[in-house]
Amino acid sequence: MATGMALVLCMSTLRLKRPEAKYILWPRIDQKSCFKSMITAGFTPVIIENRLEGDELCTDLEALSNKIEELGAQNILCVMSTTSCFAPRVPDKLEEIATLCKTKDIPHIVNNAYGLQSSKCTHLLQQAARVGRLDAFVQSTDKNFMVPVGGSIIAGFDKEFVELIGKTYPGRASATPSMDLLITLLSLGSSGYKKLLADRKEMFEYLQHNLSVCAANAEERLLNTRGNPISMGITLSLENDSDGKLATEIGSMLFTRFVSGTRVVAPGKENTIGGYTFQNFGAHCNSYPTAYLTAAAAVGMTKADVDTFISRLTKVLAKVKGVKSETCGAVNDADPPIKDSETTSSRLQGDGHE
Ligand SMILES: *Cc1c(COP(=O)(O)O)cnc(C)c1O
């Protein structure tokens, strides 16, 4: 099963240990699968809104701690934190959450959906387990190993607990995701995978540099979200666009130019998921100071992908903002012919196949 369903299994297993607990404390991350997983597992999500620190949206530890006091630790099934997320949100403060969970004797599950490809995220997991409590963490196979959607890895530092989760699976399962992963790992080899990770890190910096140049030329700026090792964003401060229509239009324009991995987040959207209504779903908070566009450097992304993306974004911004595209960036401005196999869309981090 994919990540969201694997999280359901983790929570169902925790229920065996804490039959009375019904709340899950969840620092807000606007991704539907992980929110739905809590509802599918039969628990009541308690949303902890993020704190804005500079451009970054971070864990509000004080709010988390207060909520624990308010609800009573024994009534809380677990805290579900997140490492990998779209900018401007940054990974949760894992060490502090793990420490709090240890002190209060509350289980801690981490959604590490696409974090396995980032040494920063895996380091956070390692540290959290070292200083505090971390019961299990879950990652997607397609997002980290470039296999088709359908699998995930449930991991933890306590072998018995991980085995217990495995045992809750009702019935037989498809071998396809394991087979896909095995074939991929054998063909890459350990060195091949490590090279992919190193290349990704380099691509992140390449994307960041080019995106900031492109943004500056369009009189926008790169959001300063240094805590996020995979995803980044640029502002879209457009005139007369308080309803975000024009910003959203930029997203559509990119999409029709085969760039589907970017997300445009503009104010004003309300979304209901599993009976819960979110203000500005997608923004990870009720109101972010500006509209913005995000892009991510995920494993498998190439320099050509970045160049194609920047070239198309430059043109779109020029068109919308009336800036001459020649002034934007030192990138190859000629659109290469579009082939399905090499569109940027397939390589940029998608929205999690919700
Ligand atoms: C991809 C993703 C998930 C899980 O999605 P699945 O389709 O269930 O694999 C959960 N949370 C985040 C942040 C994700 O990016």
Side-chain angles (χ1 to χ4, degrees):
M1 38 177 67
T3 313
M5 284 304 288
L7 287 166
V8 171
L9 279 193
C10 295
M11 296 168 210
S12 307
T13 309
L14 286 176
R15 176 188 281 120
L16 304 173
K17 299 179 178 244
R18 298 167 83 81
E20 305 300 325
K22 64 173 191 189
Y23 299 110
I24 296 180
L25 302 196
W26 179 72
R28 178 170 169 181
I29 158 137
D30 290 1
Q31 199 278 349
K32 286 181 193 162
S33 322
C34 54
F35 185 70
K36 287 194 232 168
S37 73
M38 297 183 280
I39 292 168
T40 303
F43 294 98
T44 305
V46 177
I47 302 159
I48 309 293
E49 293 289 341
N50 296 302
R51 255 173 62 102
L52 186 66
E53 294 178 9
D55 285 343
E56 294 184 338
L57 289 164
C58 311
T59 319
D60 189 338
L61 288 166
E62 201 184 323
L64 184 65
S65 175
N66 289 343
K67 213 42 157 182
I68 293 174
E69 296 309 319
E70 183 190 322
L71 298 172
Q74 74 285 359
N75 297 317
I76 298 167
L77 181 85
C78 66
V79 173
M80 182 156 89
S81 65
T82 308
T83 52
S84 56
C85 54
F86 291 107
R89 193 190 191 281
V90 295
D92 276 318
K93 295 172 179 164
L94 242 62
E95 278 186 42
E96 290 86 344
I97 294 176
T99 305
L100 193 60
C101 286
K102 188 177 180 178
T103 318
K104 299 286 173 187
D105 196 24
I106 298 171
H108 181 201
I109 302 286
V110 184
N111 175 4
N112 188 42
Y114 55 94
L116 205 57
Q117 62 192 283
S118 152
S119 57
K120 199 162 184 170
C121 293
T122 52
H123 178 73
L124 282 174
L125 292 165
Q126 191 82 41
Q127 284 300 102
R130 199 175 62 76
V131 303
R133 178 164 182 176
L134 197 174
D135 294 67
F137 55 102
V138 182
Q139 35 270 310
S140 151
T141 49
D142 63 279
K143 293 178 185 172
N144 294 288
F145 297 104
M146 304 191 298
V147 293
V149 176
S152 59
I153 299 170
I154 300 176
F157 295 84
D158 174 1
K159 196 174 169 201
E160 256 173 53
F161 181 60
V162 176
E163 275 172 3
L164 195 61
I165 298 172
K167 282 182 190 152
T168 62
Y169 187 92
R172 298 169 299 158
S174 164
T176 310
S178 316
M179 196 103 88
D180 287 341
L181 183 61
L182 179 67
I183 293 168
T184 303
L185 291 179
L186 288 177
S187 74
L188 277 173
S190 160
S191 58
Y193 188 61
K194 283 180 186 156
K195 170 140 193 341
L196 271 180
L197 299 189
D199 290 350
R200 188 206 71 82
K201 218 173 246 180
E202 217 172 282
M203 259 336 107
F204 177 85
E205 292 187 356
Y206 186 67
L207 176 63
Q208 197 174 47
H209 172 75
N210 282 284
L211 202 53
S212 71
V213 172
C214 173
N217 284 326
E219 288 168 345
E220 299 291 348
R221 68 179 181 89
L222 190 75
L223 293 170
N224 186 0
T225 55
R226 293 178 58 195
N228 194 319
I230 301 174
S231 169
M232 62 192 84
I234 60 167
T235 58
L236 291 178
S237 46
L238 307 160
E239 272 168 49
N240 305 320
D241 193 40
S242 55
D243 58 357
K245 266 209 179 108
L246 196 53
T248 308
E249 179 73 16
I250 291 177
S252 313
M253 287 169 79
L254 286 167
F255 192 81
T256 57
R257 285 159 179 79
F258 298 92
V259 179
S260 71
T262 54
R263 308 191 321 155
V264 168
V265 176
K269 231 176 78 189
E270 215 180 75
N271 215 320
T272 302
I273 302 151
Y276 289 76
T277 300
F278 290 86
Q279 292 301 321
N280 277 318
F281 190 82
H284 310 296
C285 67
N286 291 331
S287 75
Y288 194 72
T290 162
Y292 60 88
L293 173 149
T294 69
V299 72
M301 193 185 205
T302 64
K303 203 158 178 265
D305 291 331
V306 176
D307 291 343
T308 308
F309 164 57
I310 295 292
S311 154
R312 291 178 192 171
L313 176 63
T314 300
K315 285 184 183 166
V316 166
L317 288 178
K319 194 164 178 175
V320 171
K321 305 193 78 170
V323 180
K324 277 224 180 71
S325 71
E326 293 87 72
T327 63
C328 294
V331 292
N332 158 25
D333 210 32
D335 271 5
I338 295 159
K339 281 193 238 121
D340 253 351
S341 60
E342 58 179 49
T343 51
T344 326
S345 58
S346 61
R347 295 284 171 77
L348 285 165
Q349 185 69 53
D351 204 0
H353 319 284
E354 293 157 25

